[in-house]
Amino acid sequence: MNKTIIININGIVFHIEEDAYEVLKNYMTDVKRHFMNSDDSLEITTDIENRIAEMFNELLANEHKQVIVEQDVKSVIEQMGTVADFEKSEQDTEPSFANTYYNNGATRRLFRDPDDHLIAGVCSGIANYFDMDVVWIRLAFALIVLAGGTGIILYIILWIVIPKAVTRADRMVMKGEKLNLQGFKKNFEEEMGSIHDNFSNFKQEAKPFVYKTRDFIGDFFYHLGTFFNGAGKVLLKLIGLFILLSCFGGLIFFIVAFVALLGFGQFAPFHDMPYGLLRHHHPEYIYTAGFVVITVPLVSIILLTLKGIFNTGSISRSAGTTILVIWLFAIAVFVYDVTRIAADFSSSASYSETINLKPVKSNTYYLKLNDLKYFTAEDSARLNIKSLAPNMRITDDEDNDFAHYHQRVNLIIEKSDIDQPVLEESYHARGRTYDAALANSRNIKYIFTQQDSLIKFDQRFYPKNEELWHEEEVSLTLKLPMNAKIIIDRELSNIANVNVNECNELNKRDGNKLTEATFIMTDNGLQCKVDTLVTDTVLTKHLSSDSIKKLKK
């Protein structure tokens, strides 16, 4: 069992065995001692440390391990070269080292050269990669630009794709120089010599205008990029804040909806949901599964936004896997329940029935909405209805949203082709099969009554034994003889295609006080009967001349 310690190389933390650390420490001590008399020993040793840190990172990543052992340190030292070997090479009097230094077979990489550039250093980087004069590369780009302008697009693409040589190691690899002790010292000496030559010639020659322009444009875009970099971070944080607020708002909304659905069975913003249907299918399972399906992505977006924008912590992999499994299970439960319910609506069937009504000698009919409560035989026995007083009325004023929206009927009043008043009833329903759909439509119970000229319609139908809702529909068509006078109660407008208030306004009557209006059956269908005292000017605004003549007769 070896002792492991933690070291920091240029800001990067490594776990290293104690024996390996001693080898690395002795090596760096020898390196610093050798370069201590150089012009800038700190920069050279820093660059060497950076390279060693990069090599350690690559080694750990390739071998999928976390601790540096002694063999790893010796391998890195072998690649970098020992100080003793380096000193021996310096003492060698043969000039072969200086002449063959750049032809040592080192692998080149493509970078943009920041030291020799007119715009972004793309051309000089390509020239270094192919070991040729940069003038020819720039000339080639100039010819491509003059030929068709595609050179500009190509240059911009290469500018974006090719990375910039930032560190000394990048610049050395760009030129094919080995990343070892000899290479670092050689590169540094050349860099210092180049700087010395530039300062010596600064007073003798001025920069060409193109280079001044280049530096100005480069500095301008550098500062502009710095500005947009800061502004971009602020914009990203604002976008992240907006996403967080939206997700938190949605999360709170669905939590309130979930509690309301479990506690009260309904939620006002979801008023279109068929709560009466769901109550037969374990709605708590559907609500819970739907809540998990919606909220897990919201929570995930919140956590990812906090981590990406504000650099907060994240959940562990095991916890994330557990949440994912729960989310997938909730999706399966929700899809299964919804599919099972949808299967009950796969087929449809309908049937119609025609009922002959009793004709009235006066040819006048009163249509009203029945407000009495309908009870089945079982309900009557259970509630002991027969024991109630004869003059007692039980009205149908139940506040049932499901019945109000899904059990209503539609009444259409048309002209009959015969003198006999007729009521056509059409029943429609859905089911898992056609036979089931037809049985569901036949189970619909609808009540209407006729007492001489008074016809009353219920505002909703009644399924058999409060069975499941299968999209039942009841359509009524009341056909009355020609010239029949129909007095319609205002409450019947809830199910009929008539507008009592508009008819009263046409007759200059107060619609708030009158609860009914008189209509007449014409060749054009049901029309409001207009009082003959109403001026023709008012009539012409609403009816045709033929209809006015017929109404005045």
Side-chain angles (χ1 to χ4, degrees):
M1 183 180 296
N2 296 327
K3 183 178 180 182
T4 302
I5 60 177
I6 299 174
I7 62 173
N8 186 324
I9 304 178
N10 196 34
I12 304 177
V13 177
F14 295 96
H15 293 268
I16 186 171
E17 291 184 357
E18 188 174 15
D19 296 337
Y21 172 73
E22 292 297 328
V23 175
L24 179 62
K25 180 181 177 182
N26 294 332
Y27 176 76
M28 290 306 303
T29 302
D30 293 338
V31 170
K32 292 178 180 179
R33 187 194 73 251
H34 178 81
F35 290 106
M36 64 183 301
N37 296 323
S38 300
D39 294 334
D40 196 340
S41 61
L42 179 61
E43 183 173 351
I44 296 177
T45 54
T46 301
D47 290 336
I48 293 173
E49 288 181 350
N50 290 341
R51 178 55 185 163
I52 292 176
E54 291 176 2
M55 297 173 71
F56 280 156
N57 269 333
E58 294 173 0
L59 190 146
L60 293 176
N62 293 335
E63 297 184 6
H64 304 289
K65 59 183 184 180
Q66 298 179 350
V67 179
I68 298 171
V69 299
E70 183 177 356
Q71 183 60 36
D72 299 332
V73 176
K74 291 181 178 179
S75 175
V76 169
I77 293 175
E78 183 178 357
Q79 296 179 51
M80 292 293 296
T82 63
V83 176
D85 295 338
F86 180 42
E87 291 175 346
K88 182 179 180 181
S89 297
E90 287 183 329
Q91 295 172 1
D92 192 353
T93 57
E94 295 182 2
S96 59
F97 170 77
N99 296 331
T100 62
Y101 174 72
Y102 292 102
N103 299 318
N104 51 24
T107 303
R108 295 174 184 259
R109 288 182 58 188
L110 185 58
F111 286 93
R112 289 186 288 112
D113 191 353
D115 300 324
D116 183 17
H117 64 94
L118 289 177
I119 299 177
V122 173
C123 294
S124 58
I126 296 175
N128 283 317
Y129 183 78
F130 292 103
D131 195 17
M132 61 186 301
D133 197 340
V134 68
V135 174
W136 301 109
I137 305 296
R138 288 170 179 165
L139 181 60
F141 269 99
L143 293 176
I144 296 175
V145 172
L146 294 176
T150 56
I152 298 176
I153 301 176
L154 178 61
Y155 191 94
I156 293 175
I157 294 174
L158 293 176
W159 189 349
I160 296 173
V161 173
I162 300 175
K164 181 180 179 181
V166 179
T167 64
R168 183 186 303 276
D170 292 341
R171 295 193 293 270
M172 293 173 63
V173 173
M174 178 183 65
K175 297 178 181 180
E177 301 173 2
K178 271 193 173 182
L179 298 177
N180 52 21
L181 297 183
Q182 293 93 335
F184 278 107
K185 184 172 183 179
K186 181 73 174 180
N187 182 271
F188 182 77
E189 290 175 351
E190 289 181 352
E191 181 178 317
M192 295 301 296
S194 176
I195 295 175
H196 178 74
D197 293 338
N198 290 336
F199 276 107
S200 300
N201 298 327
F202 181 75
K203 296 181 179 180
Q204 300 178 6
E205 56 183 18
K207 281 187 177 181
F209 177 75
V210 65
Y211 284 93
K212 293 181 180 179
T213 306
R214 175 203 67 187
D215 294 339
F216 170 76
I217 295 175
D219 291 341
F220 172 78
F221 281 105
Y222 172 77
H223 293 294
L224 186 65
T226 303
F227 170 77
F228 280 113
N229 187 31
K233 293 181 179 179
V234 174
L235 181 61
L236 285 177
K237 289 186 181 294
L238 291 177
I239 294 175
L241 184 61
F242 173 77
I243 294 175
L244 285 177
L245 292 177
S246 301
C247 292
F248 273 118
L251 189 62
I252 294 173
F253 174 80
F254 286 110
I255 290 175
V256 173
F258 179 63
V259 173
L261 289 174
L262 289 183
F264 305 101
Q266 58 183 354
F267 186 54
F270 300 157
H271 58 83
D272 290 331
M273 287 181 60
Y275 297 109
L277 169 67
L278 295 178
R279 70 170 178 262
H280 297 277
H281 293 86
H282 301 289
E284 62 277 4
Y285 297 158
I286 299 177
Y287 298 152
T288 303
F291 175 75
V292 174
V293 170
I294 294 174
T295 54
V296 167
L298 288 177
V299 174
S300 300
I301 293 173
I302 291 173
L303 293 178
L304 288 175
T305 304
L306 289 174
K307 179 176 178 58
I309 304 300
F310 301 103
N311 198 25
T312 58
S314 59
I315 60 176
S316 62
R317 177 174 296 182
S318 58
T321 303
T322 303
I323 294 174
L324 178 62
V325 171
I326 294 174
W327 185 63
L328 294 176
F329 178 75
I331 292 178
V333 172
F334 185 81
V335 171
Y336 170 76
D337 286 335
V338 172
T339 304
R340 184 164 56 90
I341 295 173
D344 290 333
F345 296 82
S346 56
S347 300
S348 62
S350 60
Y351 81 97
S352 299
E353 183 179 0
T354 301
I355 301 175
N356 293 326
L357 301 179
K358 181 180 179 182
V360 180
K361 292 182 179 180
S362 61
N363 207 19
T364 300
Y365 298 88
Y366 295 87
L367 306 182
K368 291 189 176 182
L369 195 68
N370 188 16
D371 61 347
L372 294 180
K373 177 71 175 178
Y374 168 76
F375 291 102
T376 62
E378 293 80 3
D379 293 335
S380 299
R382 177 171 51 84
L383 299 174
N384 196 15
I385 300 298
K386 293 183 179 180
S387 65
L388 299 178
N391 59 346
M392 182 173 292
R393 294 167 52 91
I394 300 178
T395 59
D396 186 8
D397 55 356
E398 181 182 2
D399 186 14
N400 190 328
D401 289 337
F402 181 80
H404 182 68
Y405 288 104
H406 300 284
Q407 294 183 359
R408 294 183 60 182
V409 299
N410 296 316
L411 174 62
I412 300 175
I413 304 174
E414 297 180 351
K415 181 176 73 69
S416 176
D417 296 333
I418 57 178
D419 294 335
Q420 174 75 31
V422 174
L423 179 64
E424 295 181 354
E425 298 178 336
S426 178
Y427 300 91
H428 172 85
R430 287 185 173 272
R432 188 177 292 270
T433 62
Y434 176 81
D435 294 342
L438 184 60
N440 292 331
S441 64
R442 293 176 62 86
N443 286 334
I444 300 174
K445 179 72 173 179
Y446 181 73
I447 307 297
F448 84 95
T449 59
Q450 181 184 11
Q451 298 174 354
D452 296 330
S453 61
L454 176 62
I455 304 176
K456 290 185 177 182
F457 299 90
D458 276 19
Q459 66 177 346
R460 66 186 180 98
F461 60 85
Y462 303 91
K464 182 180 179 181
N465 299 328
E466 294 296 329
E467 291 183 351
L468 297 180
W469 179 67
H470 295 94
E471 201 175 320
E472 292 90 346
E473 295 180 1
V474 176
S475 298
L476 306 176
T477 303
L478 177 63
K479 295 184 177 182
L480 298 175
M482 182 72 174
N483 296 325
K485 186 168 68 172
I486 305 102
I487 301 172
I488 303 177
D489 189 75
R490 181 168 57 192
E491 292 183 355
L492 196 68
S493 298
N494 294 334
I495 64 171
N497 61 332
V498 293
N499 194 324
V500 174
N501 292 332
E502 183 177 337
C503 184
N504 287 327
E505 291 176 0
L506 189 62
N507 285 284
K508 298 296 182 180
R509 296 173 181 173
D510 189 355
N512 295 326
K513 295 181 180 180
L514 295 176
T515 60
E516 60 186 24
T518 303
F519 294 80
I520 191 168
M521 188 61 67
T522 67
D523 288 334
N524 296 327
L526 191 66
Q527 299 285 350
C528 176
K529 187 177 186 303
V530 181
D531 194 340
T532 55
L533 297 178
V534 179
T535 62
D536 292 339
T537 303
V538 176
L539 289 173
T540 55
K541 294 181 179 179
H542 300 272
L543 301 174
S544 63
S545 58
D546 294 337
S547 299
I548 294 172
K549 292 178 181 178
K550 292 178 181 179
L551 292 174
K552 287 185 175 181
K553 291 180 180 181

